[in-house]
Each structure stands twice: as C-alpha cells, then as structure tokens.
Amino acid sequence: MKKQLFLVSVTMVFIITGCRQTEEFPITDLHVHLKGDFDIEDAVRKSEAENIQYGIAVNCGLGFPVQNDSQVDSFLLIMKDYPQFYTAMQAEGREWVDLFTMESIEKFDYVFTDAMTFTDEKGRRNRIWLPDETFIDDEEEFMNYLVKTLVTILYTEPVDIYVNATFLPEQMADRYDHFWTEERMDAVINALKSNNIAMEINNRYEIPSADFIKRAKKAGVRFTVGTNNADGNFSGAKYALDIIKKCSLAESDFWLPVKKERI
C-alpha cells in the first residue's frame, strides 16, 4: 500500500511539474516598428486585439530616421501619449554609440541591437540582410568574423537585448546548423550571460533555433520575444509560442524592461 501511495505521489509530482512547464503566460513583443502601413493607432488596435503588449522601437543610427539627441526627444514626445507601450532604441550600426549621449539613450525603457551591420577586415561596410551589401570571400572566415564582432558588441555596447539573434546572410541561412556550431553558440551565450543581455526569439526570421535556445537556457540566459515587422502584416508571435513549448520555457526565463517616467 505504501509503495502504491509513493508511486501515485511521484506521478502527481511529474504531472504538476509538466503542467507548470506548459503554463501560458502573457507575451510581450518588444520589437515592433511603426513602418509601412502600420502606424501608432494600428499598434493600439492590434495589441489590444491579440492581447500582446508591445515595445515600440525606433531605428537610431547613421542613415536611419533618428540620428541625434533632438530626434530622440521628438520620438519620445509622441510616445508620451501612449503609456501602454514600452519605448525602445534600436541601435543601428557600430557608430551609434558616438551619435547619442548616454542621457538620451537612458530615456528609453530599453536598448537593443544586432550584428547585422559591421565593417569587415577589408573596410567594407556589411549590411547582411541585403545580399548586395554582404561580402563573403570565404564562408567560414566570414562566420568567424561575424561571431567575433558579435561578442565584441555584447561586451562593449550598452544594450539590454541582442535582437535578430543568430541571423545569417541569405546565401548561408539554409545551412544554419552547419555554421552555428557548439563552439560558436557558446561564445555568444557566454558573452550574453557575462553581460546580463537577453536574447530575442524572433518571429519574423524564426531564429534562434530550438537547440540554440535550449543551450542558452541551460547557461542561464534570459529571453525576449520580438518580431521586427516591416509593416502591419504580422500577428500572433507564433514562432515564439512554438519555441516556448518546445524548449519548456517559463515566464521566469524572460526579461522585461521597466517603464520609465515620461516627462
């Protein structure tokens, strides 16, 4: 009888634990842009309709809509009327740290960046989401340089989230698992953990992979959900929801910013 009760108790523990791992929790998309046909009022409606809170991000950097402190203030003045949303600086390129004062940077609720823009060893400016502006002489050397650049970014730039995480150029993306070796994954994961930077689960590009997420989770890295929409044609955070289930992620595995007072 005692043995049967013990087995029942153990079974109940596994059931309860399993339920906790698959519990639903509120989703916040921290990487939403007001672009194309998608404006702030559209964001209000879509956020309410889908019950997903948004972080509204503005592109800040050389050649982008916001390139100086005064333009930061103009954006934040608009967002003052929409306190339901977080405000985010998307730090573009590597020059952004020289374009904005820390005072302006800290006015945002959070800051994120990626490794999609960089200057290579030959002095060529790469924007790796654009095939015509991506220079690959040797794929393995390119990948090594990309990872080295990313690690440097995570150690030296004042950001909260690494977004478009693990993005690869179009000509390499179909061999994701080949290029993202365990050694390369660990280099990025260690840099994220060491600098307390979260990693985005991106709905648009469906990255990082489940294997990368599981490895990062084991190391104690926290995550965010983001889309990086180009217009209003997005919804539901499907990839993130799938990854949450596949990787048994809990609400405690995710990072959220704190909203700052808007003056």
Side-chain angles (χ1 to χ4, degrees):
M1 184 66 179
K2 288 183 178 180
K3 183 177 181 181
Q4 288 177 330
L5 287 173
F6 174 76
L7 290 173
V8 170
S9 299
V10 171
T11 301
M12 288 302 296
V13 168
F14 279 124
I15 290 172
I16 291 169
T17 303
C19 289
R20 284 175 180 167
Q21 287 180 340
T22 57
E23 277 181 358
E24 292 185 0
F25 51 87
I27 295 295
T28 301
D29 189 329
L30 290 176
H31 194 168
V32 174
H33 291 293
L34 305 178
K35 288 184 176 180
D37 60 352
F38 191 70
D39 62 22
I40 190 67
E41 295 302 332
D42 293 322
V44 171
R45 288 190 289 269
K46 184 181 280 287
S47 175
E48 291 176 350
E50 297 187 354
N51 194 30
I52 296 177
Q53 191 174 18
Y54 288 164
I56 304 296
V58 63
N59 301 90
C60 302
L62 186 65
F64 286 90
V66 172
Q67 301 187 57
N68 56 54
D69 289 349
S70 65
Q71 290 174 313
V72 165
D73 291 336
S74 296
F75 170 76
L76 293 176
L77 183 62
I78 295 171
M79 295 307 299
K80 184 179 179 182
D81 294 330
Y82 300 90
Q84 67 268 49
F85 297 134
Y86 293 99
T87 61
M89 167 184 270
Q90 177 160 2
E92 300 281 5
R94 312 284 52 94
E95 308 90 353
W96 75 275
V97 292
D98 298 318
L99 297 177
F100 306 97
T101 63
M102 280 305 301
E103 181 182 3
S104 285
I105 293 169
E106 290 174 353
K107 290 177 181 178
F108 291 92
D109 296 328
Y110 59 103
V111 180
F112 61 72
T113 196
D114 55 40
M116 295 168 71
T117 302
F118 60 88
T119 301
D120 65 21
E121 292 174 313
K122 294 184 178 180
R124 300 172 297 192
R125 185 177 175 82
N126 281 255
R127 298 199 294 170
I128 65 173
W129 72 98
L130 300 172
D132 291 343
E133 296 186 35
T134 304
F135 304 97
I136 304 174
D137 301 322
D138 177 281
E139 289 182 337
E140 291 298 327
E141 290 181 4
F142 177 90
M143 191 68 195
N144 287 337
Y145 190 83
L146 177 63
V147 172
K148 179 182 176 182
T149 299
L150 172 55
V151 169
T152 299
I153 289 168
L154 297 176
Y155 271 98
T156 61
E157 297 185 11
V159 299
D160 302 296
I161 312 170
Y162 164 41
V163 302
N164 300 317
T166 72
F167 182 92
L168 294 178
E170 181 180 296
Q171 53 268 60
M172 296 169 62
D174 62 344
R175 289 165 289 151
Y176 182 99
D177 291 334
H178 169 78
F179 290 112
W180 279 112
T181 62
E182 290 184 355
E183 182 180 5
R184 288 167 177 156
M185 285 193 284
D186 287 344
V188 174
I189 289 167
N190 291 339
L192 289 167
K193 180 62 178 174
S194 296
N195 295 284
N196 197 30
I197 296 172
M199 180 163 65
E200 177 185 79
I201 301 171
N202 187 279
N203 298 307
R204 177 179 175 183
Y205 298 121
E206 299 189 353
I207 48 177
S209 67
D211 286 344
F212 206 126
I213 293 291
K214 290 175 182 177
R215 202 171 186 88
K217 177 187 175 182
K218 186 176 180 180
V221 172
R222 289 198 290 172
F223 307 98
T224 63
V225 174
T227 295
N228 187 18
N229 60 300
D231 50 35
N233 187 29
F234 71 102
S235 65
K238 183 181 183 304
Y239 183 71
L241 291 171
D242 288 345
I243 283 290
I244 287 168
K245 291 180 181 178
K246 187 176 292 187
C247 300
S248 300
L249 299 181
E251 189 169 6
S252 58
D253 291 312
F254 286 81
W255 178 85
L256 280 177
V258 175
K259 288 183 181 175
K260 295 178 180 177
E261 183 180 0
R262 298 181 191 177
I263 300 173

